[in-house]
Amino acid sequence: MARIFNNLAKLGVGLAVTGGVLQSALYNVDGGQRAVIFDRFRGVQDEVVGEGTHFLIPWAQKPIIYDIRSKPRNVPVVTGSKDLQNVNITLRILFRPQVPALPKIFTNLGIDYDERVLPSITQEVLKAVVAQFDASDLITQREIVSTKVSEELTERALQFGIVLDDISLTHLTFGREFTDAVEAKQVAQQEAERARYIVEKAEQQKKAAVISAEGDSKAAELLAKAFGAAGEGLVELRKLEAAEDIAYQMSRSRNVAYLPQGQQTLLSLPQ
């Protein structure tokens, strides 16, 4: 009985050891990940391991897992423009490693490759591009600046095995002195526009007054000619028109009374 017990104990120990060895010989690569194998005898292997469960030699080999999905990163940079103005720029980058280049990335840069590469190359490219533009051009030609930064930074990152899926300028500000100068210029432009509007308005009013005076002068001239040509007849016509207007106004008044023609009143009796 004791012998059987000892055999079972040895069997259990053997199974536990075997299970531990098997467990240490397996590793998983999840979706969106890749693995690089480091061998203690042969160094970093050139083959990149894809998703799934894989075998390795315990103790002799070690898997290094990389996330190959795009990740965002904001890189702030302070640089100078062509006209020596301070510019604060924040660049938003979506990046991921090149899968075939993962062994080289691990050998040269390690796991935190983005911390070692992206800030330095971003500052290098941004300073080179921004120095080609004046501060005002950075505002009016922002799309051109963004395109140049994207092209040069993408090419620079590929040298390190990094793919940039998207690059955008999310923040662009200038020093206090330049900002104050821009605000003062805008105020001056608005004042100039207001002054020009006042001058144009006065000019139009002047033209209107001249046209009105010319019209009055022409009307007076025509009336003078009409009086000279029509003589007494036109004067009588104007009297009749005036009398008609006076009669109409008096007819609308409550304080005016009318008597039949020829009827005498107390005011007309002899004293």
Side-chain angles (χ1 to χ4, degrees):
M1 187 67 180
R3 184 177 179 180
I4 295 174
F5 180 76
N6 290 334
N7 290 336
L8 290 175
K10 292 178 181 180
L11 180 60
V13 172
L15 291 174
V17 172
T18 302
V21 171
L22 290 175
Q23 185 176 3
S24 62
L26 296 175
Y27 68 96
N28 293 322
V29 179
D30 297 331
Q33 295 180 342
R34 295 294 185 272
V36 175
I37 302 299
F38 171 72
D39 193 294
R40 293 181 184 272
F41 302 103
R42 296 178 295 170
V44 179
Q45 302 299 297
D46 294 332
E47 181 183 0
V48 178
V49 183
E51 301 168 359
T53 300
H54 306 277
F55 291 93
L56 54 73
I57 301 174
W59 182 83
Q61 293 181 334
K62 176 184 177 182
I64 295 90
I65 307 298
Y66 278 92
D67 191 344
I68 63 169
R69 292 169 292 191
S70 294
K71 293 184 292 184
R73 183 183 180 91
N74 292 329
V75 182
V77 178
V78 179
T79 183
S81 61
K82 186 178 180 180
D83 53 352
L84 304 180
Q85 297 293 334
N86 289 329
V87 185
N88 301 314
I89 299 179
T90 300
L91 205 63
R92 185 178 183 275
I93 303 172
L94 285 178
F95 70 95
R96 56 184 172 85
Q98 281 185 313
V99 174
L102 285 176
K104 182 180 179 181
I105 291 175
F106 177 70
T107 301
N108 297 329
L109 302 174
I111 295 293
D112 56 344
Y113 64 93
D114 56 315
E115 293 286 347
R116 298 174 182 269
V117 173
L118 291 180
S120 60
I121 65 173
T122 300
Q123 290 196 23
E124 173 189 347
V125 171
L126 274 177
K127 289 183 178 181
V129 173
V130 171
Q132 303 174 19
F133 296 86
D134 291 335
S136 57
D137 294 335
L138 292 174
I139 300 174
T140 58
Q141 303 180 24
R142 181 166 180 165
E143 184 176 352
I144 297 176
V145 175
S146 180
T147 301
K148 289 180 66 69
V149 170
S150 179
E151 292 175 352
E152 297 187 17
L153 189 58
T154 299
E155 181 180 355
R156 192 79 174 86
L158 284 175
Q159 299 176 5
F160 297 92
I162 302 175
V163 179
L164 303 183
D165 293 324
D166 183 68
I167 302 172
S168 58
L169 295 174
T170 59
H171 185 69
L172 178 63
T173 58
F174 302 92
R176 184 63 186 174
E177 295 80 5
F178 180 78
T179 303
D180 293 341
V182 171
E183 292 178 355
K185 181 179 179 181
Q186 291 178 343
V187 171
Q189 289 178 345
Q190 292 176 356
E191 292 294 337
E193 290 292 333
R194 185 180 297 110
R196 187 175 69 177
Y197 169 75
I198 293 174
V199 171
E200 290 180 353
K201 182 179 179 181
E203 188 68 23
Q204 294 298 327
Q205 290 177 346
K206 178 181 177 181
K207 291 180 180 180
V210 170
I211 293 172
S212 177
E214 291 177 350
D216 292 343
S217 175
K218 189 67 175 177
E221 181 181 353
L222 293 175
L223 284 174
K225 290 182 179 180
F227 278 118
E232 297 294 334
L234 183 60
V235 173
E236 292 297 328
L237 177 61
R238 291 289 184 264
K239 288 182 178 180
L240 292 175
E241 290 176 351
E244 182 182 3
D245 183 63
I246 293 171
Y248 174 75
Q249 295 297 333
M250 294 181 65
S251 66
R252 297 174 60 86
S253 177
R254 298 180 180 180
N255 298 323
V256 177
Y258 294 91
L259 294 175
Q261 185 176 2
Q263 183 175 353
Q264 294 184 348
T265 63
L266 292 176
L267 296 176
S268 61
L269 293 176
Q271 297 297 328

